[in-house]
Amino acid sequence: MKYLNLEEPDITLTAIVDEIAVNQSEVIITRNGLPVARIVPYSIPDAREKNYPLRGMPIKIAADFDEPMPELWDALGE
């Protein structure tokens, strides 16, 4: 983590962003020695995990999965 003081004359946004992109670390911006902002690297979420949240989890099928359900058929028949 790096600290940058706003009073330093040579601070440019491009330099800050380049450093964050290269090091993948955050930068704390300070004014008069007190922290005022924090810039963190942006991470792109994995789209596969977003679309398939249950991928890789075990599948359990109940022993009575294919048993007849007469009460369901009675309810649907009415």
Side-chain angles (χ1 to χ4, degrees):
M1 180 174 3
K2 183 174 182 176
Y3 291 88
L4 293 174
N5 192 350
L6 285 177
E7 284 77 30
E8 294 178 14
D10 61 339
I11 294 180
T12 64
L13 182 59
T14 305
I16 294 171
V17 171
D18 289 344
E19 181 172 340
I20 292 171
V22 169
N23 298 333
Q24 289 294 306
S25 64
E26 64 182 46
V27 174
I28 304 292
I29 308 288
T30 62
R31 178 182 287 150
N32 298 326
L34 299 173
V36 293
R38 178 176 64 157
I39 304 174
V40 297
Y42 182 77
S43 62
I44 299 171
D46 188 10
R48 292 183 297 157
E49 290 181 16
K50 181 180 177 185
N51 293 332
Y52 307 103
L54 301 177
R55 178 175 278 173
M57 296 183 75
I59 297 174
K60 293 183 181 179
I61 299 175
D64 63 347
F65 173 75
D66 57 350
E67 294 292 319
M69 297 176 58
E71 60 276 352
L72 174 64
W73 293 111
D74 292 342
L76 291 175
E78 293 179 2

